[in-house]
Amino acid sequence: AQSVTQLGSHVSVSEGALVLLRCNYSSSVPPYLFWYVQYPNQGLQLLLKYTSAATLVKGINGFEAEFKKSETSFHLTKPSAHMSDAAEYFCAVSQNSGGSNYKLTFGKGTLLTVNP
Amino acid sequence: DAGVIQSPRHEVTEMGQEVTLRCKPISGHDYLFWYRQTMMRGLELLIYFNNNVPIDDSGMPEDRFSAKMPNASFSTLKIQPSEPRDSAVYFCASSPDRGEQYFGPGTRLTVT
């Protein structure tokens, strides 16, 4: 079984401030972890993914996430927020079983607001 | 590649009518997923296919919902008869074999 918890359904930051979106997961086997972003009236877009290589993963638009097994966390960060980062962000987990694809389990999402 | 293509983008129908949503996955992707997104329930997986074969349909709400994938480049999600509680955004996604999924733009369904 697998699950994802995103702490904070809504995060508000000022432009230029640090962005930190929290994600904790539960998985009975080594996981694959993902962050997706959804802009209004659009589909989900992959930001970055962890697949058991480097624990610090860099994604698009300056975002990065660190896999911490001891904390079962995969928090998303960006050093300096931009107005265009305003969107909803979803953390997701799937099972890493030697390369086979499994369904993703998504968190409930965190809405990021960026204030000028 | 054009990405995952969904049609129509918007659908408004009356209760009791049949609704068919369509999806063209990214060429070469072996997995196809149908999701439903609502404010109340978030993102829910309805069904997914591997090589055109349904693998897990445990998320399909009830018998009114059915999905098919007649070939590697086309899938449909049908609701018959539709009800107001089916109003949602329906996403199709496709995936190669490494976990990440690529989402289409979605179909916004409104049932009145």
Side-chain angles (χ1 to χ4, degrees):
Chain A
Q2 57 194 29
S3 65
V4 172
T5 302
Q6 291 185 241
L7 299 176
S9 59
H10 187 194
V11 171
S12 182
V13 301
S14 298
E15 191 173 19
L18 171 72
V19 175
L20 171 60
L21 304 182
R22 299 178 188 274
C23 172
N24 288 88
Y25 70 91
S26 171
S27 177
S28 56
V29 298
Y32 284 166
L33 294 161
F34 308 84
W35 276 100
Y36 283 83
V37 60
Q38 185 178 28
Y39 299 102
N41 299 314
Q42 295 186 26
L44 279 70
Q45 178 183 358
L46 182 67
L47 267 181
L48 50 80
K49 63 180 180 181
Y50 166 77
T51 56
S52 74
T55 57
L56 182 61
V57 181
K58 295 186 183 300
I60 61 172
N61 302 338
F63 284 92
E64 62 182 36
E66 186 172 8
F67 171 68
K68 291 187 176 181
K69 183 178 179 180
S70 61
E71 299 178 7
T72 60
S73 70
F74 191 58
H75 301 331
L76 182 70
T77 60
K78 182 174 181 177
S80 177
H82 192 273
M83 296 295 290
S84 61
D85 295 326
E88 189 154 23
Y89 292 79
F90 294 89
C91 183
V93 62
S94 71
Q95 296 181 342
N96 173 6
S97 297
S100 298
N101 183 67
Y102 289 86
K103 58 184 180 182
L104 291 177
T105 300
F106 285 88
K108 294 189 179 299
T110 298
L111 182 64
L112 176 66
T113 301
V114 182
N115 303 308
Chain B
D1 199 312
V4 175
I5 299 172
Q6 291 187 249
S7 65
R9 292 295 311 276
H10 301 273
E11 177 80 40
V12 180
T13 190
E14 293 183 348
M15 182 175 62
Q17 296 298 305
E18 178 179 297
V19 175
T20 299
L21 311 181
R22 296 173 176 79
C23 175
K24 177 179 170 56
I26 294 172
S27 177
H29 283 190
D30 293 332
Y31 292 83
L32 184 139
F33 304 79
W34 282 101
Y35 291 89
R36 178 172 67 177
Q37 186 179 40
T38 61
M39 290 291 291
M40 291 295 295
R41 302 171 71 94
L43 198 61
E44 302 174 277
L45 176 66
L46 300 177
I47 185 172
Y48 80 95
F49 296 82
N50 180 21
N51 292 324
N52 314 337
V53 176
I55 303 300
D56 185 346
D57 65 354
S58 59
M60 296 287 262
E62 48 198 273
D63 293 345
R64 298 185 297 107
F65 285 69
S66 63
K68 294 182 179 179
M69 192 165 186
N71 57 62
S73 59
F74 183 66
S75 177
T76 59
L77 177 68
K78 185 177 294 186
I79 307 172
Q80 166 63 17
S82 58
E83 297 182 3
R85 60 191 169 121
D86 301 331
S87 297
V89 181
Y90 291 81
F91 289 105
C92 176
S94 69
S95 176
D97 62 355
R98 297 303 292 177
E100 71 266 30
Q101 296 178 17
Y102 297 85
F103 282 73
T107 295
R108 183 173 296 276
L109 173 64
T110 302
V111 183
T112 61

